[in-house]
Amino acid sequence: MNCLFCSIIKGDIPSNKVYEDEWCYAFLDIAPQAPVHCLVVPKEHISSADVIGADNSQTVAKIFEAIPKIAKELGLANGYRIVSNIGDDGCQSVKHLHFHILGGKKLSENMA
Ligand code: AMP
């Protein structure tokens, strides 16, 4: 399967790594939409948050255990936003589950 984020996890495509453990890989977004913009992806290929279920929810739980560590590493002591886009209406451009971590300034109250 040709997946951009699987290639980044494997190291076939370079990235600015922020964090890695058994379950997930985090790296800086190539086109940041905030002063700090990081992506957290599962090492297991999961196409989007719309297919989270009993068979893969442990991976998702591990990502959410990692996120506070990643946020600390990124210096986001004042808060941040987590976003996951799903499908066409959600404007998901990469079909590998990922959580955007956005911060480094007071973010817009408008989310849509
Ligand atoms: P989404 O639109 O929610 O699917 O998010 C995909 C994100 O991946 C976008 O914010 C892109 O800027 C980001 N992106 C695409 N290619 C790369 C790359 N090679 N390295 C880092 N981030 C990337």
Side-chain angles (χ1 to χ4, degrees), residues 17-61:
K17 181 168 97 171
V18 172
Y19 175 89
E20 180 174 15
D21 64 21
E22 185 187 342
W23 305 89
C24 67
Y25 187 86
F27 55 103
L28 298 181
D29 196 293
I30 204 168
Q33 295 189 36
V36 176
H37 187 171
C38 175
L39 300 173
V40 190
V41 307
K43 288 189 168 174
E44 170 189 0
H45 183 88
I46 298 171
S47 59
S48 83
D50 194 48
V51 299
I52 294 170
D55 56 334
N56 57 22
S57 59
Q58 191 193 8
T59 299
V60 177

Side-chain angles (χ1 to χ4, degrees), residues 48-97:
S48 83
D50 194 48
V51 299
I52 294 170
D55 56 334
N56 57 22
S57 59
Q58 191 193 8
T59 299
V60 177
K62 291 292 181 183
I63 290 175
F64 275 83
E65 287 178 29
I67 283 175
K69 297 181 212 168
I70 296 166
K72 194 169 186 190
E73 179 73 23
L74 292 168
L76 299 175
N78 212 37
Y80 53 95
R81 180 171 291 156
I82 300 168
V83 174
S84 191
N85 295 323
I86 300 163
D88 285 348
D89 279 3
C91 296
Q92 181 185 7
S93 61
V94 179
K95 308 301 189 222
H96 181 128
L97 174 65

